[in-house]
Amino acid sequence: MVDFPTRRRGIAGWISYSLRLELLLGVISIGTIGLLWEFARPLGIPVFSNLPPLSEIIQTSTQLLVSDQYWDGWALSVQRITAGFLLAQLIGVPIGLFMAMHRASFETAFPIVEILRPIPPVAWIPISILFWPTRELSVIFIVFLGAFWIVLLNTIGGASNVDPNHRRAALSLGSTPRDMFWRIILPATIPSIVTGMAVGIGIAWEMVVAAEMVAGRTGLGYLLWQSFEVNAIAQCIICMISIGFAGFVSSQIVRLFGSYVAPWQRQR
Amino acid sequence: MNAAGRAGALSIRNAGKIYDPEGLHVVALEDVSFDTQPGEFCVVVGPSGCGKTTLLNSIAGFDRLTSGEILLDGGVLARPGKPPLPGSDRMVVFQQGALFPWKTVLWNVTCGPIKQGRLGKKTAEVEARGLLARVGLKGIEDQYPGSLSGGMKRRVEIVRALMNEPKVLLLDEPFRALDALTKSVVQEFLLELFDEAPKTIFFITHDIEEAIFLADMVVVMTTRPGRVLKTIAIDIDRPRDYRVLTSERFVRLEREVREAIHDEARKAFEAGERELA
């Protein structure tokens, strides 16, 4: 129960009051959805009544969360995300920096980028299966593609928008071309690279799920689809929630990494 | 102040700059000539677009002239065909500021002398802490520039420039973005530093009061094409503080500069209107 303040209690009192209020409202909203879900069938609520009730999902999860299949799915999806995403950084960031710094390379490569980029990574799945010797590699390739374009474009954008006065100041202070890259252009580009990573990791999870559904034999995305095929809807929903949770944790990791490599942006 | 033999004699001779000579042919500077003594505080005033910044960039080595030349202590800094070359003997304080946001204040102000191999890290840091304290910025050494106020950033940037012991200090409307009160405080810090160790300063502004308050010599420039309209010696004793702003001599000089610049400002305004129309 919330007791509404009848008199001023100072700032600390107000904060603890509003935090309790926030918590209460959060519990009410989630609790309401939970209840509607659980009693959707007897109440005849549309859409929700097609789903298994919440209690069944909790019950299924006690079995699924101890199974090897589920945790192997996690491990494999995380591996594919890690490989594809890191490859996108390792290839996208240097190419982006190079394209931003050398006009000719930009003019040469940008038309290719503009032709290939609008193709949704999912559309690459068939070609990818043909092209790569194993399914594993094709899934990683799709994840890579999902993150690559956004990383590339953000890196190019960041590196070509370095403040000209920073360059000038650096020249006056005596910097060599080497210093100019490592001490000016690269740090000036880091915030854009981190933004690219934050968007890229989200797309990477979308891609790993799609690719596993189509091309995989394992992974959370495959487990999700397989559960649907055998009509294990509760299991299907648990997979969905798991993937959402994985995406959330990945975003937090990217954010932590961002505040580690760009500490000067922390206060903002 | 005009001690013979001290470095920092800037000599601008018939300097001219035409942007896009084959196409638009915009004459930014035309036949600009004046000299500064070593240790002289020279302020250039003029309406927007009169080529002040072009002149400063040519001195700094960011831009090249299309005619004439600029000398520093007899050595050629700029002449047509000579590739522009920035150097630590001519440090610039920029209008929008150019502290490196990804490095701490201490790193920003010490990187120049350390990079040039003129000072060791320890010595540079001791010197930097001293100078920062001198302008009222004790204890901010480990902060990032992003967390400082506008007035603090400007002072840090002046300290960064001075750490390189430049022969000429170039300031391009450095206090433009500051509010009036902060501006007067930062101006006084700059004057204190200047009085302690006078060095040639080339300062650009379009604030007439600021120009007279700071300068030994005010150069009034015309609107495009930028030419020298008048140079006015400011014979107000140093050290100066806010009280001189209301002195009779100050008001008389201010009127002199204002009269010189008024017609030019009007021309620049009308030219701007035409460009918009």
Side-chain angles (χ1 to χ4, degrees), chain A residues 163 165-166 168-174 176 179 183-184 187-188 263-264 267-268, chain B residues 57 62 86-88 91 94 96 98-102 107 115-116 144 146 160 164:
Chain A
D163 185 341
N165 283 344
H166 285 150
R168 289 171 160 182
L171 285 174
S172 296
L173 289 162
T176 58
D179 297 323
R183 298 209 183 278
I184 308 296
W264 67 93
Q267 300 100 323
R268 278 175 240 165
Chain B
N57 282 345
F62 303 146
S88 62
M91 290 305 301
F94 295 92
Q96 287 93 8
L99 293 172
F100 305 129
W102 45 86
W107 195 95
K115 179 70 214 169
Q116 297 145 32
Y144 289 107
R160 177 170 80 174
N164 294 279

Side-chain angles (χ1 to χ4, degrees), chain B residues 44-63:
Chain B
V44 177
V45 289
S48 309
C50 74
K52 303 183 293 264
T53 300
T54 304
L55 185 57
L56 182 137
N57 282 345
S58 310
I59 300 171
F62 303 146
D63 212 340

Side-chain angles (χ1 to χ4, degrees), chain A residues 103-185:
Chain A
R103 203 185 156 78
S105 75
F106 180 85
E107 301 296 350
T108 312
F110 201 68
I112 305 173
V113 172
E114 281 304 278
I115 290 170
L116 294 183
R117 190 175 61 94
I119 302 172
V122 179
W124 284 85
I125 293 177
I127 290 293
S128 174
I129 293 172
L130 280 180
F131 190 71
W132 296 99
T134 66
R135 293 289 172 112
E136 195 62 30
L137 283 177
S138 38
V139 174
I140 291 173
F141 177 70
I142 296 302
V143 172
F144 162 82
L145 270 186
F148 176 73
W149 300 120
I150 192 80
V151 167
L152 180 72
L153 289 186
N154 268 278
T155 308
I156 294 175
S160 27
N161 283 315
V162 178
D163 185 341
N165 283 344
H166 285 150
R167 292 169 184 269
R168 289 171 160 182
L171 285 174
S172 296
L173 289 162
S175 80
T176 58
R178 219 186 138 95
D179 297 323
M180 190 61 89
F181 176 76
W182 289 106
R183 298 209 183 278
I184 308 296
I185 295 172

Side-chain angles (χ1 to χ4, degrees), chain B residues 231-251:
Chain B
T231 56
I232 298 166
I234 306 299
D235 49 351
I236 299 173
D237 299 334
R238 292 181 192 274
R240 300 171 187 171
D241 63 22
Y242 65 95
R243 279 173 292 242
V244 307
L245 293 174
T246 46
S247 72
E248 206 178 304
R249 197 186 282 177
F250 190 95
V251 175

Side-chain angles (χ1 to χ4, degrees), chain A residues 187-216:
Chain A
T189 311
I190 281 177
S192 307
I193 296 176
V194 171
T195 307
M197 291 174 86
V199 182
I201 191 78
I203 306 178
W205 271 103
E206 287 175 29
M207 289 314 125
V208 83
V209 170
E212 282 171 352
M213 281 179 176
V214 179

Side-chain angles (χ1 to χ4, degrees), chain B residues 121-134:
Chain B
K121 193 162 185 283
K122 280 265 166 56
T123 338
E125 286 182 357
V126 170
E127 196 174 307
R129 283 175 200 277
L131 260 179
L132 286 169
R134 181 69 199 73

